Amino acid sequence: MKRVTEFVPGVHYVGANDRTKHRFEGLWPLPHGVSYNAYLIEDEKVALVDTIDAAFTERLLSSVREVIGDRPVDYLIINHMEPDHSASIHAVRQAWPDITIVGNAKTLQMVEGFYGVDVGCGVGAGAAGAAGGSGAGLGSKTSANSLIVKDGDTLSLGARTLQFHLIPMVHWPETMVTYVAAEGLVFSGDAFGTFGTLDGGVTDAQLDTAHYRDEMVRYYSNIVGKYGVPVQNALRKLASLPPLRTVCPTHGPVWTGEFPQVLDLYDRMSRYEPLEKGVVIAYGSMYGNTAQTAERLARELAARGVRRVVMHDLSSSHASFVLRDVFKFSALVIGSPTYNMHLYPPVQALVDDIELRGVPSRVFACFGGFTWAGAAVKKLSEFADRMGWEQVAPPVEVKQGYSLEKTAAIAAVAEAVAAKM
Ligand code: FEO
């Protein structure tokens, strides 16, 4: 019977689905779970590409043994060292003691630093770099069954040759991809990855992929979103390769026929370009007055033909979904009560998230409330100034209870935002 997990002849999926973790990186909710993807290449030599989260180490080992039986794994290729992919390195080396661990200089330092696995480079800057080879070709063997590779280096497995391309800061400094020319295939690390488990199939051709798009935007905006320039550099590097037929990330589906759409999405996200026309209204509210301003604004937008209005009460919506929508939509209106002469804390957290990721432009307006002295609108205006965003209308500021007297000012905000859509 055909094996779904051998998605290219000789290339096997040996990852695992996680449906029990509550928060990825301790931060991001996982309503659809997450997959940790690892891959096995069967050739004259056997190579494992990345490992998986510590909770699934035994499953990784058994999946590999199911494919190769008693054959040893000759190489472990490490594209990315974040522990959701590297935590099984120690167990893999114990299972196949003669395995050669392959990574760039920064990678091998992290292997020793995180796990105490001796790869012969010594922890600390400079040691591995001094051992590295130069230019394309086989990397440098170190003294402890490891191989340091540089950008463009190659490694033959027999019928296939692997080529390593460094893509630093997508989203860690050691990140690289591994290219297999014979199959037009690349193991891309976190690039093109998404939250969401692989339910049944492994490739986009085997799965209904509709729900992955939003989760890819959430994954990207929260985890990679600060690194737009390095992602653009990585995309340029991938574009220099012959056309890719199969892209294997460390999370989510293996991309084949849908890769052009995924590539376009990544290109737009890393240029911070909105993906859709729409207005996000993100607000905090303690007693409902700022919420009433938000509701009125949404109605006024709808009255002007804006059909895509996305509301987030920041005390209820997890920040990762709000940030996803900031990346996704073209306009953002933020509302906040004044709290301790500052922004309401969940609003402050949102503006910090946006500022940290350097989103360069959005259609922007704001509103706020106060009881005896107002600060929220001033703070939101200062945020817009720091971002270099133009406010399209004067802020609406409500003292104490919401009042219908504010309707005209709110309508003016809606008018200005709608005009920019
Ligand atoms: Fe999936 Fe950056 O680790």
Side-chain angles (χ1 to χ4, degrees):
M1 188 195 300
K2 188 179 172 194
R3 286 182 358 168
V4 162
T5 49
E6 188 177 8
F7 55 93
V8 165
V11 182
H12 304 258
Y13 180 87
V14 289
N17 290 312
D18 189 343
R19 299 185 182 86
T20 59
K21 188 189 285 288
H22 288 284
R23 295 280 170 104
F24 188 78
E25 294 184 346
L27 288 168
W28 322 115
L30 295 168
H32 306 288
V34 66
S35 71
Y36 312 112
N37 300 346
Y39 302 94
L40 192 74
I41 308 171
E42 250 189 315
D43 206 313
E44 289 172 29
K45 298 288 187 181
V46 173
L48 175 61
V49 182
D50 290 312
T51 76
I52 60 178
D53 187 90
F56 296 89
T57 298
E58 285 307 315
R59 204 170 300 175
L60 170 70
L61 300 182
S62 68
S63 296
V64 171
R65 288 186 176 118
E66 184 183 341
V67 175
I68 59 171
D70 292 333
R71 280 186 78 182
V73 179
D74 298 289
Y75 296 107
L76 170 60
I77 315 297
I78 304 174
N79 284 325
H80 182 27
M81 273 300 296
E82 195 163 1
D84 51 327
H85 309 296
S86 65
S88 303
I89 288 174
H90 186 64
V92 165
R93 178 173 259 188
Q94 282 189 318
W96 298 285
D98 294 329
I99 197 168
T100 296
I101 295 178
V102 181
N104 61 66
K106 289 189 170 73
T107 306
L108 294 188
Q109 288 174 32
M110 290 185 189
V111 171
E112 293 197 353
F114 268 108
Y115 304 111
V117 173
D118 177 16
V119 287
C121 65
V123 176
S134 61
L138 192 64
S140 300
K141 191 102 175 173
T142 72
S143 60
N145 284 350
S146 64
L147 187 65
I148 296 174
V149 295
K150 285 188 157 184
D151 195 43
D153 279 357
T154 58
L155 174 65
S156 174
L157 300 181
R160 296 173 185 80
T161 297
L162 309 182
Q163 187 171 44
F164 308 102
H165 295 277
L166 274 55
I167 54 164
M169 297 316 301
V170 180
H171 58 128
W172 275 29
E174 86 299 356
T175 43
M176 71 176 196
V177 302
T178 300
Y179 173 62
V180 189
E183 274 91 15
L185 180 152
V186 72
F187 300 101
S188 62
D190 281 348
F192 314 117
T194 171
F195 296 129
T197 50
L198 299 173
D199 298 342
V202 167
T203 73
D204 52 9
Q206 300 163 341
L207 289 158
D208 179 351
T209 59
H211 71 284
Y212 290 109
R213 185 177 187 270
D214 262 5
E215 282 295 76
M216 179 176 281
V217 179
R218 190 165 68 96
Y219 182 97
Y220 178 88
S221 55
N222 285 277
I223 295 174
V224 189
K226 176 178 165 64
Y227 302 102
V229 171
V231 172
Q232 281 286 304
N233 292 338
L235 295 183
R236 272 192 288 278
K237 190 168 271 192
L238 290 175
S240 72
L241 300 173
L244 297 171
R245 296 193 294 277
T246 306
V247 175
C248 310
T250 42
H251 302 287
V254 170
W255 301 109
T256 59
E258 295 180 25
F259 182 61
Q261 293 96 297
V262 169
L263 182 62
D264 179 64
L265 186 64
Y266 246 70
D267 183 39
R268 294 175 68 188
M269 291 191 296
S270 55
R271 286 188 282 112
Y272 302 90
E273 183 182 293
L275 306 174
E276 297 177 28
K277 286 186 177 179
V279 182
V280 178
I281 303 176
Y283 65 93
S285 192
M286 286 183 283
Y287 300 109
N289 293 301
T290 311
Q292 271 187 273
T293 309
E295 292 285 2
R296 185 77 201 200
L297 175 63
R299 294 273 184 257
E300 296 293 338
L301 285 165
R304 287 159 178 79
V306 179
R307 298 186 64 197
R308 198 75 170 102
V309 178
V310 179
M311 307 283 284
H312 285 293
D313 182 315
L314 296 175
S315 297
S316 303
S317 295
H318 187 272
S320 66
F321 294 90
V322 184
L323 197 63
R324 174 200 66 190
D325 288 339
V326 170
F327 270 67
K328 186 173 170 182
F329 293 106
S330 52
L332 173 65
V333 187
I334 301 180
S336 178
T338 296
Y339 198 87
N340 286 333
M341 288 308 290
H342 216 283
L343 293 173
Y344 189 53
V347 180
Q348 183 64 52
L350 173 64
V351 302
D352 288 347
D353 276 346
I354 296 169
E355 201 167 349
L356 179 69
R357 285 159 182 82
V359 179
S361 67
R362 285 297 179 269
V363 174
F364 181 71
C366 68
F367 57 92
F370 66 96
T371 300
W372 67 93
V377 157
K378 178 171 176 284
K379 295 289 181 186
L380 288 170
S381 297
E382 289 170 357
F383 158 72
D385 290 344
R386 288 196 303 276
M387 297 299 292
W389 296 0
E390 178 196 359
Q391 289 195 70
V392 297
V396 176
E397 195 168 30
V398 174
K399 181 177 181 181
Q400 298 164 4
Y402 177 78
S403 161
L404 289 177
E405 289 174 10
K406 293 295 179 184
T407 301
I410 295 168
V413 172
E415 186 74 31
V417 171
K420 294 279 187 182
M421 298 294 291

